[in-house]
mmCIF file of all heavy atoms in Angstrom:
data_model
loop_
_atom_site.group_PDB
_atom_site.id
_atom_site.type_symbol
_atom_site.label_atom_id
_atom_site.label_comp_id
_atom_site.label_asym_id
_atom_site.label_seq_id
_atom_site.Cartn_x
_atom_site.Cartn_y
_atom_site.Cartn_z
ATOM 1 N N TYR A 143 -15.378 -198.038 30.595
ATOM 2 C CA TYR A 143 -15.362 -199.349 29.898
ATOM 3 C C TYR A 143 -14.124 -200.101 30.366
ATOM 4 O O TYR A 143 -13.003 -199.661 30.132
ATOM 5 C CB TYR A 143 -15.352 -199.189 28.376
ATOM 6 C CG TYR A 143 -15.750 -200.486 27.679
ATOM 7 C CD1 TYR A 143 -17.047 -200.672 27.193
ATOM 8 C CD2 TYR A 143 -14.842 -201.533 27.553
ATOM 9 C CE1 TYR A 143 -17.421 -201.873 26.600
ATOM 10 C CE2 TYR A 143 -15.217 -202.737 26.962
ATOM 11 C CZ TYR A 143 -16.500 -202.898 26.484
ATOM 12 O OH TYR A 143 -16.881 -204.076 25.900
ATOM 13 N N MET A 144 -14.342 -201.270 30.976
ATOM 14 C CA MET A 144 -13.200 -201.996 31.560
ATOM 15 C C MET A 144 -12.445 -202.798 30.498
ATOM 16 O O MET A 144 -12.903 -202.948 29.366
ATOM 17 C CB MET A 144 -13.667 -202.873 32.722
ATOM 18 C CG MET A 144 -14.106 -202.040 33.914
ATOM 19 S SD MET A 144 -14.545 -203.045 35.328
ATOM 20 C CE MET A 144 -12.934 -203.672 35.827
ATOM 21 N N SER A 145 -11.273 -203.287 30.883
ATOM 22 C CA SER A 145 -10.360 -203.896 29.900
ATOM 23 C C SER A 145 -10.581 -205.395 29.675
ATOM 24 O O SER A 145 -10.050 -205.955 28.736
ATOM 25 C CB SER A 145 -8.914 -203.687 30.375
ATOM 26 O OG SER A 145 -8.735 -204.239 31.665
ATOM 27 N N HIS A 146 -11.366 -206.025 30.545
ATOM 28 C CA HIS A 146 -11.523 -207.485 30.411
ATOM 29 C C HIS A 146 -12.666 -207.834 29.450
ATOM 30 O O HIS A 146 -13.520 -206.990 29.151
ATOM 31 C CB HIS A 146 -11.773 -208.100 31.792
ATOM 32 C CG HIS A 146 -13.064 -207.645 32.424
ATOM 33 N ND1 HIS A 146 -13.302 -206.329 32.737
ATOM 34 C CD2 HIS A 146 -14.192 -208.322 32.756
ATOM 35 C CE1 HIS A 146 -14.521 -206.226 33.258
ATOM 36 N NE2 HIS A 146 -15.069 -207.434 33.268
ATOM 37 N N LYS A 147 -12.667 -209.113 29.001
ATOM 38 C CA LYS A 147 -13.648 -209.528 27.984
ATOM 39 C C LYS A 147 -15.100 -209.335 28.437
ATOM 40 O O LYS A 147 -15.939 -208.834 27.701
ATOM 41 C CB LYS A 147 -13.431 -211.012 27.643
ATOM 42 C CG LYS A 147 -12.234 -211.244 26.744
ATOM 43 C CD LYS A 147 -12.433 -212.522 25.915
ATOM 44 C CE LYS A 147 -11.232 -212.767 25.044
ATOM 45 N NZ LYS A 147 -10.235 -213.663 25.662
ATOM 46 N N GLY A 148 -15.387 -209.735 29.679
ATOM 47 C CA GLY A 148 -16.763 -209.676 30.179
ATOM 48 C C GLY A 148 -17.309 -208.259 30.285
ATOM 49 O O GLY A 148 -18.514 -208.085 30.534
ATOM 50 N N ALA A 149 -16.457 -207.243 30.084
ATOM 51 C CA ALA A 149 -16.918 -205.845 30.173
ATOM 52 C C ALA A 149 -18.072 -205.596 29.210
ATOM 53 O O ALA A 149 -18.953 -204.773 29.466
ATOM 54 C CB ALA A 149 -15.768 -204.888 29.882
ATOM 55 N N GLN A 150 -18.094 -206.349 28.107
ATOM 56 C CA GLN A 150 -19.157 -206.113 27.114
ATOM 57 C C GLN A 150 -20.545 -206.446 27.674
ATOM 58 O O GLN A 150 -21.537 -205.877 27.230
ATOM 59 C CB GLN A 150 -18.878 -206.904 25.843
ATOM 60 C CG GLN A 150 -18.801 -208.384 26.080
ATOM 61 C CD GLN A 150 -18.677 -209.163 24.780
ATOM 62 O OE1 GLN A 150 -19.136 -208.731 23.748
ATOM 63 N NE2 GLN A 150 -18.035 -210.313 24.843
ATOM 64 N N GLU A 151 -20.608 -207.321 28.669
ATOM 65 C CA GLU A 151 -21.921 -207.712 29.213
ATOM 66 C C GLU A 151 -22.595 -206.562 29.962
ATOM 67 O O GLU A 151 -23.819 -206.486 29.990
ATOM 68 C CB GLU A 151 -21.747 -208.891 30.181
ATOM 69 C CG GLU A 151 -21.276 -210.154 29.519
ATOM 70 C CD GLU A 151 -20.930 -211.230 30.533
ATOM 71 O OE1 GLU A 151 -21.563 -211.272 31.615
ATOM 72 O OE2 GLU A 151 -20.009 -212.016 30.246
ATOM 73 N N GLY A 152 -21.801 -205.703 30.587
ATOM 74 C CA GLY A 152 -22.379 -204.575 31.323
ATOM 75 C C GLY A 152 -22.082 -203.257 30.635
ATOM 76 O O GLY A 152 -22.968 -202.604 30.095
ATOM 77 N N TYR A 153 -20.797 -202.887 30.609
ATOM 78 C CA TYR A 153 -20.400 -201.592 30.021
ATOM 79 C C TYR A 153 -20.744 -201.526 28.528
ATOM 80 O O TYR A 153 -20.950 -200.460 27.977
ATOM 81 C CB TYR A 153 -18.899 -201.350 30.230
ATOM 82 C CG TYR A 153 -18.527 -201.294 31.684
ATOM 83 C CD1 TYR A 153 -18.113 -202.441 32.364
ATOM 84 C CD2 TYR A 153 -18.620 -200.108 32.394
ATOM 85 C CE1 TYR A 153 -17.796 -202.404 33.710
ATOM 86 C CE2 TYR A 153 -18.305 -200.057 33.749
ATOM 87 C CZ TYR A 153 -17.899 -201.215 34.397
ATOM 88 O OH TYR A 153 -17.595 -201.162 35.734
ATOM 89 N N GLY A 154 -20.827 -202.712 27.875
ATOM 90 C CA GLY A 154 -21.063 -202.734 26.424
ATOM 91 C C GLY A 154 -22.508 -202.966 26.043
ATOM 92 O O GLY A 154 -22.858 -202.942 24.860
#
Side-chain angles (χ1 to χ4, degrees):
Y143 197 100
M144 291 184 70
S145 57
H146 64 298
K147 284 207 181 94
Q150 60 174 332
E151 294 172 32
Y153 299 92

